[in-house]
Amino acid sequence: MKKLFFLLLLPFFVSAQDGEHEYGEHWGLDFDTAISDAKKDSKNILVYFTGSDWCPPCKMLKKDLFDTAEFENVAKDYELLYVDIPRNKDLLSDTQWKHNQEVLGKYNKKGSFPLIMILNPKGKVLDKYSGYSMTGDVRYHMDLFKKYSD
């Protein structure tokens, strides 16, 4: 029975190691790639710092904001960068963990979660919004996105 349970969970662990995440394919995982793509496409970068396995406001923000059609519409104007800092380090590869820690150290020194940051294509911080009250009211987040979208 234990072997069967392990075999059923194996695909989840393999995909997590490959850098896939619950936010989907539109979110990039590499800072340098986001910068390069932003320069090429003349877009700003929307960076999302989350604690995917321990942060209740992060989980609610996914449902209330990132899973909506309104966000999908405004997200087209950005390069999206997903920076996960889970407590269970096994959710990320060692390389991804190190990368995320470096981005955290440079752009989120206070360790605020959730944190949404807007960067220009050169990596300069234009604006940020920290936290989520979990009331379903995401207008402040959307206002931030619309402020820097095309």
Side-chain angles (χ1 to χ4, degrees):
M1 186 64 160
K2 288 182 183 178
K3 288 181 182 178
L4 178 61
F5 181 72
F6 177 75
L7 289 174
L8 292 173
L9 290 178
L10 185 61
F12 170 77
F13 289 114
V14 170
S15 69
Q17 290 295 320
D18 289 340
E20 293 179 14
H21 47 85
E22 65 183 293
Y23 281 77
E25 65 188 53
H26 300 295
W27 288 87
L29 300 173
D30 182 72
F31 180 80
D32 292 333
T33 300
I35 291 286
S36 175
D37 291 348
K39 287 178 182 176
K40 180 178 66 178
D41 298 335
S42 297
K43 292 182 176 181
N44 289 324
I45 305 162
L46 190 159
V47 184
Y48 177 52
F49 291 92
T50 183
S52 66
D53 67 342
W54 61 268
C55 174
C58 299
K59 293 175 184 183
M60 287 300 298
L61 195 57
K62 178 184 183 317
K63 177 182 163 280
D64 295 342
L65 176 65
F66 296 121
D67 287 347
T68 66
E70 186 178 12
F71 175 75
E72 285 294 319
N73 189 41
V74 75
K76 295 173 188 171
D77 294 331
Y78 290 95
E79 293 299 327
L80 304 177
L81 180 63
Y82 180 84
V83 182
D84 189 16
I85 308 295
R87 290 213 171 119
N88 179 0
K89 294 179 186 177
D90 292 338
L91 294 175
L92 304 176
S93 68
D94 290 340
T95 303
Q96 190 66 52
W97 175 258
K98 182 179 177 188
H99 170 272
N100 291 2
Q101 289 294 318
E102 288 172 4
V103 176
L104 179 75
K106 183 172 182 179
Y107 287 100
N108 188 359
K109 292 178 181 172
K110 293 182 180 179
S112 299
F113 298 93
L115 175 65
I116 294 169
M117 189 172 285
I118 308 296
L119 307 177
N120 73 11
K122 294 181 180 180
K124 180 183 177 206
V125 177
L126 300 175
D127 213 336
K128 61 185 173 180
Y129 189 81
S130 178
Y132 181 54
S133 64
M134 301 194 313
T135 62
D137 184 3
V138 295
R139 75 183 131 165
Y140 298 109
H141 298 84
M142 290 305 300
D143 288 347
L144 175 68
F145 302 150
K146 290 175 183 175
K147 181 178 177 181
Y148 295 97
S149 64
D150 292 334

